[in-house]
Amino acid sequence: MSRTTTVVPARAAWSSVIRTGATLAIADLHGNQAVDFLVYDAHDTSVRYSAPDTIHAQGGIFLTSGSVLMSNEHTPLMTVVADEVGRHDTVGGACSKESNTLRYGHHTWSQHACVDNFLAEGAKYGLGKRDLVSNVNWYMNVPVEKDGTLGIVDGISAPGLSLTLRAERDVLVLVSNCPQINNPCNGFDPTAVQMTITEPGAGAAAGRPGEAGGA
């Protein structure tokens, strides 16, 4: 049994296979850092996170404790078992060179984006662009008005807050520690986050921010 902790630098990608029953804790080390997140069945990546299935299953668009990340086969992939923030986004999507150019101007074309991170990290597992689906945005604040309009606004997280997910099957997790600097999702200043994987029976479910990992 083991606990492994990794600090993911600002703008960087990260991935891992999380075994059934293990937990993944994601800590927002400096506050208001969006963490773009995709999850797949580790043994069959055609079974992957589905925003429509997840929203339908829980009857709402925001994720928090008790939320289950559902697959495109309407089966559970991971469950949020702890959440110190209270609301996370399912509809804002991942930034890309194309969306940055459309929203913020052609001068942003060369800026690094979450889609770049997902493609580079996913390639390690044989995944390509057609395998990217609508993602979860942990710590991103995307309020939706009654008329359906939404916006990316200042976050509601704070330094050191965390959330924990439990794997309901062996899953592959891809993360982009969002590099966006053109809207407030990262406070216009991307920062590091911490990932802690805890295997069943290894003790507490989540390492606290700054805590070293090990076997």
Side-chain angles (χ1 to χ4, degrees):
M1 300 300 178
S2 66
R3 176 183 294 162
T4 304
T5 296
T6 304
V7 174
V8 182
R11 303 177 176 85
W14 177 87
S15 62
S16 184
V17 172
I18 315 293
R19 301 300 179 188
T20 305
T23 60
L24 170 65
I26 306 174
D28 186 4
L29 295 178
H30 303 282
N32 293 339
Q33 173 59 43
V35 179
D36 289 47
F37 181 98
L38 288 170
V39 57
Y40 305 79
D41 185 309
H43 304 291
D44 180 3
T45 55
S46 69
V47 180
R48 69 273 305 262
Y49 170 72
S50 168
D53 285 85
T54 298
I55 293 167
H56 175 263
Q58 71 168 13
I61 62 172
F62 299 114
L63 302 176
T64 188
S65 297
S67 295
V68 180
L69 305 187
M70 303 293 287
S71 78
N72 53 332
E73 295 188 345
H74 209 71
T75 53
L77 294 169
M78 303 187 84
T79 300
V80 182
V81 295
D83 177 20
E84 296 179 334
V85 175
R87 191 176 75 190
H88 304 268
D89 169 64
T90 61
V91 298
C95 60
S96 66
K97 293 181 183 297
E98 294 80 7
S99 64
N100 281 345
T101 299
L102 179 64
R103 292 172 175 167
Y104 311 115
H106 286 282
H107 67 283
T108 66
W109 176 256
S110 62
Q111 293 177 3
H112 196 56
C114 283
V115 169
D116 302 319
N117 275 342
F118 280 143
L119 288 174
E121 201 67 19
K124 299 176 181 178
Y125 305 91
L127 301 175
K129 199 162 191 176
R130 68 178 56 198
D131 297 302
L132 301 188
V133 295
S134 296
N135 57 284
V136 174
N137 292 305
W138 304 116
Y139 303 114
M140 196 161 92
N141 188 16
V142 184
V144 179
E145 305 298 333
K146 290 182 179 180
D147 64 1
T149 59
L150 56 84
I152 299 172
V153 300
D154 290 340
I156 59 175
S157 184
L161 296 186
S162 68
L163 64 95
T164 303
L165 300 119
R166 182 184 64 234
E168 304 301 347
R169 63 177 75 185
D170 292 351
V171 294
L172 167 64
V173 169
L174 301 184
V175 160
S176 171
N177 194 15
C178 183
Q180 182 62 262
I181 59 173
N182 300 291
N183 69 48
C185 70
N186 303 318
F188 301 99
D189 181 22
T191 55
V193 295
Q194 179 177 285
M195 306 289 169
T196 301
I197 300 170
T198 303
E199 298 291 343
R208 300 305 303 165
E211 179 179 305

